[in-house]
Amino acid sequence: MIIKRAEPTDQAGILNHLAIGEMCEAMFGTTDRLQLIKYMQKLYEQPGNRFSHEYTWVAEENGVAAGAVTVMPANMLRRTTLMTVWHIMRLKKLRIIPQLFNYPKHITALLRLDEAERNECHISMIAVLPEFQGVGLGTLLLKAAEDYAAANGHNICSLTVKQNNYGAQKLYKTVGYEIAGVINQPPFRLYKMRKYLNG
């Protein structure tokens, strides 16, 4: 198993889909899992958006992207979110109009999420394929994100997690993250978690 900087040729769209689940449906206006994975792969391949390979590290096992983590300075979140919207509009063309009517709360909430403070480095996505879970891969990916943060002058890493995702919360707490706030912005109910990297 190796952890490496991601490349646009990695097949990591499935990991982005796994990480954000039903948010994909609001973003693309479909519940077709295979179509959503294709869309997420397209976002991954393009630069500048929230799901881009540019901000991602991949755990690779025998050429398979087994897990991934996306991390960036928090002051880039707004810009990359707007670029994500632009890329989705380009992918969907005029077919984006119906989803604005079908998912107005989801889309508004996504654009308004206050995930991190400006001085933090934010982990916006982490996922491990089910067949690779339970062997410490999530911990290795978090370490890669934290190493990036520290190397770029950040003392704090942050992330958000669903309030009912107890397994992920347990992992984050085990490696030093603490709940630092709550986001109750229907339909999203999240905890903000934070870790100080110098102890």
Side-chain angles (χ1 to χ4, degrees):
M1 184 75 63
I2 61 166
I3 309 284
K4 67 180 185 80
R5 283 301 296 258
E7 301 170 16
T9 53
D10 297 321
Q11 294 302 303
I14 190 170
L15 291 162
N16 281 321
H17 177 263
L18 186 63
I20 66 169
E22 73 271 8
M23 285 189 206
C24 289
E25 297 173 13
M27 287 164 50
F28 291 104
T30 181
T31 57
D32 182 328
R33 180 178 177 274
L34 293 178
Q35 187 61 53
L36 289 170
I37 291 170
K38 286 180 184 176
Y39 281 136
M40 294 308 292
Q41 181 65 32
K42 293 282 189 190
L43 287 182
Y44 174 81
E45 292 169 2
Q46 297 181 58
N49 69 68
R50 289 283 299 264
F51 305 98
S52 174
H53 65 278
E54 284 186 304
Y55 313 111
T56 304
W57 276 253
V58 170
E60 190 176 87
E61 176 75 17
N62 297 324
V64 174
V69 63
T70 300
V71 60
M72 67 188 71
N75 62 11
M76 292 177 62
L77 289 173
R78 187 77 179 151
R79 179 169 57 89
T80 56
T81 297
L82 293 174
M83 186 61 77
T84 303
V85 172
W86 171 246
H87 286 162
I88 291 169
M89 289 173 65
R90 286 177 52 204
L91 285 168
K92 295 284 291 183
K93 301 182 174 64
L94 290 177
R95 293 169 294 162
I96 197 170
I97 294 170
Q99 75 199 65
L100 296 176
F101 294 100
N102 293 332
Y103 298 94
K105 286 185 179 178
H106 289 74
I107 292 168
T108 302
L110 282 171
L111 292 173
R112 295 177 57 200
L113 279 180
D114 179 22
E115 299 169 82
E117 303 297 322
R118 291 186 62 82
N119 63 332
E120 297 171 354
C121 207
H122 189 68
I123 297 169
S124 62
M125 184 285 290
I126 182 168
V128 176
L129 293 177
E131 59 267 35
F132 293 98
Q133 291 177 4
V135 296
L137 197 47
T139 302
L140 290 174
L141 289 166
L142 288 169
K143 177 77 166 69
E146 292 162 10
D147 288 347
Y148 165 82
N152 285 276
H154 294 275
N155 184 41
I156 304 170
C157 257
S158 65
L159 52 83
T160 57
V161 60
K162 288 181 182 178
Q163 292 178 17
N164 63 357
N165 190 343
Y166 307 112
Q169 290 172 41
K170 182 178 178 183
L171 167 64
Y172 302 147
K173 288 177 181 177
T174 299
V175 298
Y177 287 80
E178 297 178 349
I179 294 175
V182 177
I183 297 174
N184 283 322
Q185 196 164 317
F188 305 118
R189 302 190 183 284
L190 309 169
Y191 288 126
K192 294 181 180 182
M193 300 188 77
R194 183 179 297 146
K195 179 179 180 178
Y196 291 88
L197 301 181
N198 64 358

